[in-house]
Amino acid sequence: MTAKWSARTGGVPRTSDRPEHTGEPVRHPADAADQATGEARPASPASPASPASPASPASPASPASPASPGKATGANTAATDEPAAQPTRRTPGPLDPAALAGGVAGATALAPLIDLVLESLAKGTVERGGPTPAGSPAAIAAAAATAVEHNPLPDKGIGAEPALAELSRLIAMGSADPADPRCAGHLHCPPLAIAVAAEVAAGAMNQSLDSWDQAPVATELEPWVVRAMAELVGYQPDQAGGVLTSGGTESNLMGLLLAREFAPTQRPRVYCSAAAHFSVQRNAGILGLGEDAVIPVPVTADQRMDPAALVATLMADRAGGYRPIAVVATAGTTDFGVIDPLPELAAIATAHDAWFHVDAAYGGGALFSDRLAPLLRGLDLADSIAIDLHKFGWQPVAAGGFLTRRASAFDPLTRRVAYLNPTDDEDLGYRSLLGYSLRTTRRLDALKLAVTFRALGRTGLGVLVDACHDLAGHAATAIDAHPRLVLAARPVLSTVVFHFQARHRDPDQVNAALRRRLLTEGSAVVGRTEVDGRIRLKLTLLNPHATTADVDALLALVVEAGEAEDTAEATG
């Protein structure tokens, strides 16, 4: 049994081909040679710290160290004349699945594992041979089941090397790879290598930002990253507040939560454009406001919220006894990337004493670009903002941010928990971020952002944004010039909506089928949406290293698949 799902991809090794894992550390082949010759294996260049180095103040004795003399090791320990048996200290091997990533020996344990992951990713990527795995959903599901032998938690483990190598290779083989120029279906960016490297450091240290003593420097780093983001959107950084989130959905939830607390009422109303993200309505339901409390406001011909329609809807609702608690604008809609008229909407929200939240999950990253930043004029008028840097920011998921113009807006989230943020600790400088998040345990997402910001700077990130914007412009021009493709609108940011013009079959069926054909072939990932009830295709161009030739090749694949689907029934 293998994980093979197409003729061009390989499978994972069968379990029967592996040596049985005994539970002992799995040693690197070089270690066996060293043992035979009596020579010591040199330390990995990536792991300068030796296990014999003195422990740092932050790394006292390992939990595996023998118990101190005179201390009871269990509730039923009885007095005896025999010396107490000392636990055997485990010496982790280089591929020991139970080795720890942190501590003095962490780098030594990680180095061969990371090498193995990189080797497996390279193999799997070559075997995939395209932007996404070829094959049907059923075939890919079967490959995943086979890779874990229908039981990812066996009674007896198979060892670090086969487990890590096989599944890393499987993920590379079976993933939609946003670094491939032909993978352009969603707001799903290819992450920067430097950001992924920073994630390794964050994962190894495994900090949790719910208390200072679990994440000392991480607790101090995140506010600096939040401050940089606040400055980017135009807030006064000394007055603003913010926190890193899992993405736009969580950030929008927090925006509506603060809006609810800002103006409690029995008959609330939330207003957003008909093109707003679905999370606005769902989050209103989660918060107890009711999904029907969200009123979609008509959009103008360019897909932006219509301020006049908003005013008319507000006035009608007020006359009916409803209380507007929030106006939610969008800066970068998912399909067309359009940005609502922020200054006008801010003025309307203020006039009606409603919270003004801007979902800039997509468009916020355009602020890195001198060319595109003016499109977000008025963003600084928002009471709160959602921004995602795993879109226009090239970060591994998750890298969301939630910002408020006033830090005091977070007051409703304040909690005092004796074991996390006692008052006397905070009074002595042990900062707590607990009151900024809906989550308790939170990972160190600030590290990859801080590394990226410092490495590239705003200007460097702006170059990447502009490159994607240029690609979208080229795609739109190419679509407009092609006799079988129809452009829906000129792009604002980096999304391009269009459709294939069918001649023989139903256009919606052809456009839906051509996209699935490309997926099954593993040749391209193209997005799908609906405009005025009709199926449309979408390119979301977030690869700054792609070329205009890559875009042309992708459109050629769309046309080829469209022509095949358009004639399939007529000739069949």
Side-chain angles (χ1 to χ4, degrees):
M1 298 173 67
T2 71
K4 184 176 180 180
W5 48 72
S6 78
R8 75 171 189 216
T9 58
V12 294
R14 294 170 297 192
T15 303
S16 58
D17 297 334
R18 307 188 199 105
E20 183 178 3
H21 181 53
T22 63
E24 292 301 310
V26 180
R27 301 194 178 277
H28 192 281
D31 289 308
D34 294 342
Q35 188 173 13
T37 61
E39 296 180 0
R41 189 179 178 206
S44 167
S47 314
S50 166
S53 301
S56 70
S59 310
S62 164
S65 299
S68 301
K71 289 186 179 179
T73 57
N76 298 322
T77 301
T80 174
D81 293 335
E82 296 294 325
Q86 296 296 310
T88 302
R89 181 166 182 169
R90 185 186 183 95
T91 302
L95 291 179
D96 181 4
L100 301 181
V104 176
T108 301
L110 274 173
L113 295 170
I114 290 175
D115 287 345
L116 181 60
V117 167
L118 296 177
E119 178 184 349
S120 301
L121 290 176
K123 288 180 179 177
T125 300
V126 170
E127 290 163 347
R128 186 182 66 238
T132 195
S136 68
I140 293 168
T146 300
V148 295
E149 298 174 311
H150 298 268
N151 179 18
L153 183 61
D155 288 337
K156 191 173 185 179
I158 64 173
E161 185 166 2
L164 187 59
E166 291 170 18
L167 291 179
S168 296
R169 181 179 167 196
L170 174 80
I171 290 299
M173 290 168 60
S175 288
D177 186 355
D180 189 302
R182 292 168 292 168
C183 186
H186 297 276
L187 288 167
H188 176 205
C189 73
L192 298 171
I194 193 170
V196 173
E199 283 280 70
V200 174
M205 291 297 95
N206 201 34
Q207 302 296 276
S208 181
L209 275 73
D210 45 315
S211 67
W212 192 95
D213 57 359
Q214 295 179 87
V217 78
T219 301
E220 303 298 336
L221 180 63
E222 180 169 305
W224 282 107
V225 171
V226 167
R227 180 186 178 95
M229 294 170 70
E231 287 189 89
L232 182 70
V233 303
Y235 283 160
Q236 293 295 321
D238 292 331
Q239 300 173 15
V243 67
L244 298 185
T245 68
S246 60
T249 296
E250 181 184 349
S251 297
N252 288 339
L253 177 65
M254 294 184 73
L256 289 184
L257 171 60
L258 297 187
R260 184 190 70 181
E261 299 304 306
F262 175 70
T265 180
Q266 294 299 311
R267 304 188 73 190
R269 281 287 190 257
V270 174
Y271 304 88
C272 63
S273 90
H277 195 265
F278 70 88
S279 65
V280 177
Q281 186 174 44
R282 186 170 67 177
N283 286 339
I286 292 171
L287 290 169
L289 301 171
E291 291 195 17
D292 57 356
V294 178
I295 307 301
V297 177
V299 296
T300 54
D302 59 359
Q303 300 292 317
R304 305 167 84 206
M305 192 193 301
D306 185 345
L310 173 61
V311 171
T313 307
L314 279 163
M315 297 304 291
D317 282 350
R318 277 193 175 279
Y322 293 99
R323 166 77 164 86
I325 66 168
V327 173
V328 179
T330 306
T333 56
T334 303
D335 286 339
F336 288 96
V338 301
I339 297 166
D340 286 335
L342 303 180
E344 294 92 328
L345 299 182
I348 294 169
T350 299
H352 288 269
D353 198 28
W355 188 268
F356 184 43
H357 174 73
V358 177
D359 176 2
Y362 175 21
L367 291 168
F368 294 124
S369 163
D370 291 337
R371 178 200 304 173
L372 298 178
L375 296 176
L376 285 92
R377 184 177 64 87
L379 183 61
D380 59 320
L381 301 174
D383 293 298
S384 59
I385 299 170
I387 183 170
D388 279 1
L389 294 178
H390 52 243
K391 294 183 173 72
F392 259 161
W394 297 278
Q395 298 298 297
V397 175
F402 176 70
L403 307 170
T404 60
R405 185 153 42 92
R406 299 175 303 277
S408 59
F410 282 91
D411 287 352
L413 296 181
T414 300
R415 291 292 180 274
R416 185 67 59 191
V417 181
Y419 56 84
L420 293 176
N421 61 344
T423 303
D424 53 331
D425 272 5
E426 285 204 79
D427 290 344
L428 292 172
Y430 295 90
R431 184 201 296 250
S432 171
L433 303 182
L434 185 66
Y436 286 92
S437 180
L438 297 177
R439 293 175 287 163
T440 303
T441 301
R442 281 199 305 122
R443 70 189 304 275
L444 175 52
D445 287 322
L447 179 60
K448 60 193 173 193
L449 290 168
V451 168
T452 301
F453 288 176
R454 287 185 58 75
L456 284 170
R458 186 189 64 81
T459 302
L461 286 163
V463 169
L464 303 184
V465 172
D466 288 346
C468 294
H469 184 243
D470 289 340
L471 287 174
H474 174 82
T477 299
I479 289 167
D480 219 14
H482 199 286
R484 301 300 299 272
L485 301 176
V486 180
L487 182 68
R490 292 293 304 181
V492 177
L493 298 174
S494 67
T495 52
V496 187
V497 179
F498 66 106
H499 69 275
F500 175 82
Q501 190 165 281
R503 294 172 179 167
H504 305 290
R505 296 178 56 199
D506 177 78
D508 285 347
Q509 291 182 5
V510 169
N511 279 274
L514 79 82
R515 174 179 162 273
R516 288 190 292 266
R517 175 185 286 261
L518 293 171
L519 287 173
T520 302
E521 292 173 351
S523 57
V525 181
V526 175
R528 169 180 166 167
T529 189
E530 292 186 10
V531 178
D532 297 329
R534 305 304 300 268
I535 292 176
R536 295 294 180 256
L537 304 176
K538 181 174 61 173
L539 302 183
T540 303
L541 300 167
L542 289 177
N543 185 337
H545 300 305
T547 66
T548 55
D550 291 325
V551 172
D552 292 341
L554 176 55
L555 291 174
L557 289 170
V558 170
V559 171
E560 181 182 354
E563 290 175 340
E565 290 296 335
D566 192 26
T567 58
E569 191 172 275
T571 60

